[in-house]
Amino acid sequence: KQEVTQIPAALSVPEGENLVLNCSFTDSAIYNLQWFRQDPGKGLTSLLLIQSSQREQTSGRLNASLDKSSGRSTLYIAASQPGDSATYLCAVRRDQGAQKLVFGQGTRLTINP
Amino acid sequence: NAGVTQTPKFQVLKTGQSMTLQCAQDMNHEYMSWYRQDPGMGLRLIHYSVGAGITDQGEVPNGYNVSRSTTEDFPLRLLSAAPSQTSVYFCASRRAAHNEQFFGPGTRLTVL
């Protein structure tokens, strides 16, 4: 059974720092991995999607990497801003036809001005 | 595009009451699904649909029904609400040939 873990559960850093969020999964047979952002009381916003054949994806100040063989993904946030404060979730899909995303518990990120 | 929309945003029910959570998407996505989010449990798949007229169960389907009569709409019905169904419910959709999943804003449900 696939399990997805995000450590730490919470992270607090000063504004302007570069930071890395971690996501690990137990079964390396994944089709893709998606990173989401969730603001308090809101829905999930898709940030980046990495296919299993890719090593990384970039969007603005965000860079997500994938090492399928070791069961790990990282989300790198450059020059953090208070507006980046949110919970970040990663989720994996087993294969193209699979409907279920297996989610981690998330990392709650606070950027201090 | 409005994306994925859900109504209502908040709902309080008494045990035994029934209700329908509405979900609609205007992106012509073939696949739609319902998740619930609970503290310590993360997001879990309730039901999903791969097209109009086709639905199937996810991880936690008991106590919920779904139907998909159109591509756009995918309502979730609670037949007889129980306190264990207190949760935040998210509807999601994606294209069959594309894997990025889009989520709605959620419905926060409390069952007393």
Side-chain angles (χ1 to χ4, degrees):
Chain A
K1 178 187 172 187
Q2 179 73 271
E3 293 183 1
V4 179
T5 303
Q6 293 183 249
I7 296 173
L11 183 63
S12 181
V13 301
E15 180 178 3
E17 279 201 4
N18 303 325
L19 59 99
V20 173
L21 305 180
N22 298 300
C23 171
S24 61
F25 44 95
T26 54
D27 185 349
S28 62
I30 64 167
Y31 185 72
N32 60 37
L33 184 146
Q34 195 167 355
W35 281 93
F36 295 90
R37 168 189 173 133
Q38 185 175 28
D39 293 287
K42 305 291 186 185
L44 281 68
T45 300
S46 177
L47 297 174
L48 289 164
L49 173 72
I50 312 179
Q51 301 293 352
S52 62
S53 59
Q54 297 175 317
R55 293 300 297 245
E56 64 178 55
Q57 281 283 346
T58 298
S59 176
R61 293 183 295 108
L62 305 179
N63 175 278
S65 68
L66 175 64
D67 184 343
K68 207 172 77 157
S69 61
S70 67
R72 289 160 65 167
S73 176
T74 62
L75 180 67
Y76 175 82
I77 303 177
S80 58
Q81 303 169 358
D84 295 329
S85 297
T87 296
Y88 290 79
L89 297 157
C90 67
V92 299
R93 189 181 303 282
R94 186 187 72 237
D95 54 57
Q96 185 176 12
Q99 296 307 308
K100 186 172 84 169
L101 283 174
V102 180
F103 283 86
Q105 296 282 343
T107 294
R108 188 172 69 253
L109 177 64
T110 303
I111 308 299
N112 301 304
Chain B
N1 284 356
V4 182
T5 58
Q6 293 184 238
T7 57
K9 288 190 182 340
F10 303 93
Q11 183 71 49
V12 179
L13 293 178
K14 294 181 180 177
T15 297
Q17 287 185 314
S18 63
M19 78 158 294
T20 299
L21 280 63
Q22 301 292 344
C23 173
Q25 52 89 12
D26 62 357
M27 298 175 282
N28 205 30
H29 287 176
E30 296 90 344
Y31 294 169
M32 296 185 75
S33 51
W34 278 101
Y35 286 82
R36 59 178 288 174
Q37 185 177 35
D38 303 289
M41 302 292 292
L43 283 102
R44 292 177 292 169
L45 181 65
I46 305 171
H47 283 287
Y48 64 91
S49 169
V50 298
I54 306 170
T55 64
D56 208 343
Q57 297 180 351
E59 296 175 83
V60 288
N62 292 342
Y64 308 96
N65 272 359
V66 292
S67 60
R68 184 106 178 264
S69 56
T70 67
T71 299
E72 294 78 20
D73 301 299
F74 190 43
L76 178 73
R77 279 181 285 277
L78 280 69
L79 308 174
S80 177
S84 60
Q85 294 179 304
T86 293
S87 186
V88 182
Y89 291 85
F90 290 103
C91 181
S93 73
R94 68 181 178 99
R95 295 198 69 91
H98 193 274
N99 297 283
E100 188 175 13
Q101 191 97 348
F102 296 91
F103 282 78
T107 294
R108 195 169 294 267
L109 175 68
T110 301
V111 183
L112 303 175

